[in-house]
Amino acid sequence: MMLRRLLHGLGLVVVLCFTLFPFYWMVSSSFKDQTDLLASPPVWLFTPTLANYADIFADEKVFGAIVNSLIIATLTTALSVLLGAPAAYALARFDFRGKSDLWFWFISNRMISPIVLALPVYLLALQMNLLDTHLVLVLIYLTFNLPIVVWICTDQFRSIPIELEQAARLDGANQFTIFRKIYIPLGLPGIAVSAIFSFIFSWNELLYALVLTRRSVQTAPVIATSFMSGYELPWGKIMATGTVIVLPVTVFALLVSKHMVRGLTMGATK
Amino acid sequence: MGQTRTKLNPGYGRWTPFWFLAPAVFALLVIGIYPTISALVTSFRRYNITRPRDGFPFVGFDNYISVLSDQTFWQSLGLTTQFFLTVLPFELLFGICIALLLHQPGQGLLRALARVSLVVPLATTYAVVGLIGRLVFNRDFGVANQFLDWVGIGGLDWLGSTTGAFIATAVMDIWQWTPFCALIFLAGLSMVPVEIEEAARLETTSKLAQLRYVQLPYLLPGLTAMLILRSADILKLFDMVFVMTRGGPGAATDLVSVYIQRVGFRIFDMGTASAQAILLLIVTIILSRLYIKLIYKEIE
């Protein structure tokens, strides 16, 4: 019995090491100076330095990229909720022809490889002079954000008792008032979760950002990878940038950790 | 059709659903369907943007014929399949082990911590996973070689060798997506009714028998979901691999999305790349139909 508990605890510690090690290695490397970083074999104990962080916050390009990421992720999230929540309400509560086809179409968008859309969108953006603008990324990110918002909100709206809606209708409220006064406030938890998901996905995206931006609208992941050229790589700076990118989304993800699986599978499991 | 609906009198106008849906549907049509059609059109053209003077003439199925007879395209599809078959068994195996550990009662705090820590790999920006991979698997100062050294194996030039790069990218994928499998398995395990589980525990002490006869039926729907989603995700996989290896060395990690990206945006052969993308899209549509069919059986 003792042995069993010991093994269980040991197993859990192994799990913790497995999930956290690469993350730990990134964060700890961001506090190393160049000598410690290039030490062979790698050093585990070192005097931490904040120089790398001072470096990246003084670097206008890094700061600008983080601002770009923030603008794009926020706008695309707002737009997805604005467009997705009403659609979710229609899917949750109305009956109409082609409903399940429409729903499946929304869901299928999650599976499509970004490269399929990146090629034509690049050509279209080139023709319309939209390359290297916030707008093009805000719009293209809707292709994966709208499905997630629609899915999570549909699920949430279905759980709101239909009697509330019927009572409101007897009082003479129309459908838009019902949506605004009942579904938005009561469905707020689901809307918030879906917003956090679309923020995370947009913040993390690289392929579209790489292809559709040049200099002025580079996002944080693009700038982090742009350090990857030349011989002497500034590893401290790279890892500090990585940490700054990953930290906020990790906090967000921890907030929605209960819904993580449902968000990623579009509800294959409860 | 329309008349029977009005007879039922659902309490809202016939056009009401339309107004709620129109904005989202319109947006997805413009940003999703229109570019897809445009890619389809491009795929029937000779379309190299570095040579605009040649014009972009229609060439019928030429691009498709050249793609389907192109060795490198098939190799990258083969490599993608190989990648899938390499990472999946590990992700499933580690996933089920982690799920069982987390499902086991006791060790409250540690268990809660481990459960929460699963979110960290999943939330890590894919590009940053690639950056971490490059540092960890560095030949000279990477920690992977230090681990190997501790168990008495000499250092490897991970990212400089064909098998090394493949294994290194696979390891990073396993790190990032094992938690996904673990969480789905865990959700399945928690669906097993407590009485049944306890009865099984009285019957047999064999964990394996419990898993096989009691818990497995509850894990199967999740397993189907994982198989399909992971295959779709590996067809999409770009960020991490691109940052870590750019598809190299040679074509060692040239997964299909990385390959198409290079044809389109390094060689600028948009016609060929579009044809490849359309073929990829067809595979994806089949996968998503399959997913919908198998997973959402009871959708009203």
Side-chain angles (χ1 to χ4, degrees):
Chain A
M1 213 47 205
M2 257 316 262
L3 186 73
R4 197 166 231 167
R5 276 187 55 196
L6 200 71
L7 278 176
H8 187 207
L10 206 67
L12 290 169
V13 171
V14 171
V15 173
L16 270 171
C17 293
F18 172 78
T19 53
L20 296 181
F21 178 75
F23 185 80
Y24 160 79
W25 199 248
M26 169 181 73
V27 177
S28 73
S29 299
S30 74
F31 291 111
K32 288 178 180 173
D33 61 27
Q34 192 73 356
T35 339
D36 286 333
L37 278 163
L38 300 184
S40 175
V43 286
W44 291 68
L45 295 169
F46 57 92
T47 354
T49 164
L50 282 172
N52 297 315
Y53 287 94
D55 236 21
I56 61 164
F57 285 117
D59 188 335
E60 272 170 40
K61 268 163 75 186
V62 176
F63 188 76
I66 288 170
V67 172
N68 281 334
S69 275
L70 260 179
I71 294 173
I72 291 164
T74 310
L75 285 180
T76 191
T77 300
L79 205 55
S80 326
V81 171
L82 212 62
L83 299 172
Y89 171 57
L91 288 168
R93 283 296 188 243
F94 295 144
D95 220 358
F96 52 89
R97 232 188 308 173
K99 177 169 146 175
S100 59
D101 289 324
L102 189 67
W103 196 75
F104 290 149
W105 177 53
F106 276 116
I107 302 302
S108 311
N109 274 286
R110 183 210 174 284
M111 304 252 200
I112 293 172
S113 172
I115 191 69
V116 175
L117 292 178
L119 295 160
V121 168
Y122 172 79
L123 293 177
L124 293 169
L126 193 68
Q127 283 159 16
M128 297 194 286
N129 257 328
L130 282 175
L131 278 189
D132 209 18
T133 59
H134 291 106
L135 182 67
V136 70
L137 286 184
V138 168
L139 291 178
I140 199 69
Y141 286 178
L142 286 180
T143 52
F144 52 83
N145 286 335
L146 258 180
I148 198 98
V149 171
V150 168
W151 191 80
I152 295 178
C153 289
T154 306
D155 205 40
Q156 173 82 41
F157 291 156
R158 276 209 189 109
S159 70
I160 293 170
I162 199 156
E163 290 76 22
L164 286 174
E165 176 168 349
Q166 285 158 347
R169 200 175 290 134
L170 288 180
D171 286 343
N174 71 26
Q175 221 57 45
F176 296 94
T177 323
I178 290 172
F179 177 62
R180 209 157 39 89
K181 292 268 167 72
I182 297 175
Y183 283 86
I184 301 251
L186 292 180
L188 212 55
I191 296 174
V193 168
S194 70
I196 290 177
F197 268 110
S198 62
F199 189 91
I200 294 175
F201 287 144
S202 318
W203 180 269
N204 282 351
E205 207 283 330
L206 176 72
L207 177 55
Y208 287 128
L210 200 65
V211 167
L212 298 172
T213 65
R214 289 290 167 272
R215 195 148 294 160
S216 53
V217 193
Q218 282 187 327
T219 60
V222 176
I223 211 78
T225 48
S226 75
F227 294 137
M228 280 293 179
S229 47
Y231 286 105
E232 183 88 332
L233 295 180
W235 281 111
K237 217 172 147 182
I238 293 170
M239 289 299 134
T241 313
T243 308
V244 170
I245 295 172
V246 170
L247 222 50
V249 278
T250 311
V251 173
F252 273 150
L254 291 175
L255 287 178
V256 291
S257 68
K258 266 194 200 146
H259 308 272
M260 202 76 193
V261 183
R262 300 178 62 214
L264 289 167
T265 59
M266 297 276 197
T269 51
K270 288 280 169 195
Chain B
M1 205 43 200
Q3 278 195 334
T4 40
R5 266 175 213 287
T6 9
K7 264 186 215 155
L8 287 171
N9 189 19
Y12 49 82
R14 214 177 142 199
W15 286 96
T16 318
F18 174 81
W19 294 119
F20 279 95
L21 285 165
V25 171
F26 179 73
L28 269 187
L29 279 175
V30 173
I31 56 168
I33 299 294
Y34 178 62
T36 310
I37 292 169
S38 149
L40 194 66
V41 174
T42 311
S43 74
F44 290 110
R45 285 181 150 164
R46 189 185 313 132
Y47 206 124
N48 193 319
I49 40 179
T50 54
R51 274 176 274 158
R53 245 187 255 157
D54 299 358
F56 307 124
F58 280 95
V59 290
F61 281 92
D62 277 13
N63 288 326
Y64 287 92
I65 293 165
S66 75
V67 167
L68 290 175
S69 56
D70 173 17
Q71 281 273 311
T72 29
F73 181 66
W74 288 109
Q75 270 165 16
S76 86
L77 273 181
L79 197 73
T80 312
T81 315
Q82 200 189 330
F83 193 84
F84 175 72
L85 294 176
T86 308
V87 297
L88 198 74
F90 287 103
E91 288 168 359
L92 293 178
L93 183 69
F94 294 164
I96 188 72
C97 291
I98 294 174
L100 285 171
L101 277 172
L102 293 177
H103 188 62
Q104 173 97 1
Q107 304 284 5
L109 178 68
L110 199 57
R111 204 152 58 97
L113 273 178
R115 162 82 177 70
V116 164
S117 77
L118 291 178
V119 173
V120 171
L122 286 173
T124 307
T125 314
Y126 312 137
V128 176
V129 176
L131 295 174
I132 298 173
R134 279 189 67 163
L135 181 63
V136 167
F137 287 102
N138 188 289
R139 185 189 53 188
D140 301 316
F141 47 86
V143 75
N145 274 344
Q146 190 178 28
F147 288 152
L148 284 187
D149 198 45
W150 286 344
V151 291
I153 306 171
L156 265 164
D157 183 8
W158 291 99
L159 300 175
S161 72
T162 315
T163 27
F166 187 82
I167 295 171
T169 44
V171 167
M172 292 317 280
D173 192 82
I174 292 168
W175 173 70
Q176 186 160 35
W177 291 102
T178 293
F180 176 67
C181 297
L183 285 169
I184 294 181
F185 279 136
L186 189 60
L189 287 177
S190 60
M191 300 284 283
V192 183
V194 185
E195 313 85 63
I196 297 184
E197 209 168 58
E198 269 166 11
R201 231 173 253 155
L202 292 177
E203 286 290 324
T204 172
T205 50
S206 158
K207 287 267 164 210
L208 215 60
Q210 286 175 28
L211 182 64
R212 165 71 186 81
Y213 295 105
V214 180
Q215 294 165 326
L216 192 66
Y218 292 89
L219 299 178
L220 287 179
L223 188 68
T224 324
M226 271 180 272
L227 287 177
I228 300 175
L229 285 175
R230 286 273 55 221
S231 51
D233 284 346
I234 286 172
L235 286 174
K236 279 164 68 170
L237 184 61
F238 171 84
D239 299 5
M240 181 268 283
V241 175
F242 179 79
V243 172
M244 233 169 124
T245 64
R246 304 265 143 124
T253 52
D254 216 3
L255 301 186
V256 69
S257 285
V258 182
Y259 175 67
I260 300 177
Q261 186 272 157
R262 199 175 58 245
V263 174
F265 295 104
R266 292 288 166 268
I267 311 172
F268 289 109
D269 187 349
M270 287 288 175
T272 308
S274 297
Q276 291 166 338
I278 294 293
L279 292 173
L280 184 61
L281 180 66
I282 292 169
V283 177
T284 316
I285 289 172
I286 295 171
L287 276 177
S288 74
R289 288 272 112 188
L290 202 65
Y291 187 69
I292 285 162
K293 220 177 154 171
L294 294 174
I295 305 295
Y296 301 114
K297 269 171 263 165
E298 74 285 23
I299 176 74
E300 59 259 54

